[in-house]
Amino acid sequence: PPPAMPAASEIISKYISALGGEQNLHKITTRVITATQDIPTGPGGVIPTPATVEILQKAPNFVLRTAKTKDLTQLSGTDAQGPWVQDARGRVNAPAIALERSRETRNADFYEALDIMKNFPKLTVEGIEKVGTSDAYVVAGIPPDGVAVKMYFDTKTGLLVRKYTLTPTPSGPSPYQVDYSDYRDAGHGVKYAYRIHMEPA
């Protein structure tokens, strides 16, 4: 018989503990991330261009992201009015697709890990799948916008290793996958993924 699956609440609780625990997570109210990233540029966004990135975050849901290449600077973020992006002409707009706005709003939640149960009122454990060489529990969550998000939690470490979404578009479902790895203690006893791969970027 297939192995009995733990409840979704158990998997989420283990994830929070693996990050450092609820108490330690709540101690932090601001975060500064500096990184390098290949950002999509050129016609159709198919040319990866190296950029330096700085992300400023403040609880509960404020984000300012600056990405700089040798030729351009991109600004985006989330504030009290929701997610926004600044185009090459300096105009500030919200993401065009409503589901993208919902996703970016959830991602801006400073305590996203602690709010999984709130953001996804319905959670279902679908089984175990391979992510790389490791086994991961697959937990499907349905947020208020109705588009399911699959979250993959390493069965041994408890850490989140992947998110997967199929976003409906006029031309058909569009897959979006984010992989998380290289977790390290970023200070105050809290772990953070130091390598994040997004597909598409």
Side-chain angles (χ1 to χ4, degrees):
M5 294 292 106
S9 57
E10 294 178 45
I11 295 173
I12 303 305
S13 178
K14 184 177 179 180
Y15 170 48
I16 293 172
S17 296
L19 290 177
E22 182 175 355
Q23 185 174 359
N24 283 334
L25 287 168
H26 270 304
K27 287 179 181 178
I28 302 171
T29 58
T30 61
R31 183 183 295 120
V32 179
I33 300 171
T34 56
T36 57
Q37 179 182 353
D38 286 338
I39 62 174
T41 61
V46 296
I47 302 174
T49 301
T52 58
V53 178
E54 182 180 66
I55 304 173
L56 309 179
Q57 297 176 303
K58 182 179 180 180
N61 54 9
F62 292 96
V63 179
L64 175 62
R65 180 180 182 275
T66 305
K68 294 182 179 180
T69 71
K70 63 178 183 178
D71 299 316
L72 59 86
T73 297
Q74 293 182 347
L75 295 175
S76 60
T78 304
D79 55 27
Q81 282 70 49
W84 57 269
V85 61
Q86 187 179 61
D87 63 21
R89 297 183 181 181
R91 297 173 300 187
V92 174
N93 303 297
I97 301 174
L99 291 174
E100 289 182 356
R101 294 197 294 270
S102 297
R103 182 175 63 205
E104 290 303 315
T105 299
R106 286 197 301 272
N107 290 342
D109 183 352
F110 194 87
Y111 302 113
E112 183 181 10
L114 299 177
D115 292 337
I116 290 176
M117 304 292 288
K118 179 181 73 175
N119 291 332
F120 298 95
K122 183 179 179 181
L123 288 169
T124 305
V125 181
E126 295 190 339
I128 296 176
E129 293 184 19
K130 285 284 187 182
V131 176
T133 59
S134 301
D135 289 331
Y137 292 118
V138 183
V139 180
I142 301 179
D145 60 34
V147 177
V149 178
K150 288 189 176 182
M151 295 167 281
Y152 296 72
F153 299 90
D154 189 294
T155 57
K156 292 182 178 179
T157 67
L159 294 167
L160 177 69
V161 292
R162 175 174 291 171
K163 282 184 186 176
Y164 182 82
T165 311
L166 277 176
T167 303
T169 71
S171 57
S174 175
Y176 181 70
Q177 180 173 298
V178 184
D179 289 342
Y180 305 88
S181 60
D182 192 15
Y183 278 87
R184 307 180 206 169
D185 189 335
H188 303 284
V190 172
K191 289 183 178 178
Y192 190 82
Y194 273 65
R195 184 175 180 83
I196 301 174
H197 178 81
M198 295 170 283
E199 186 66 38

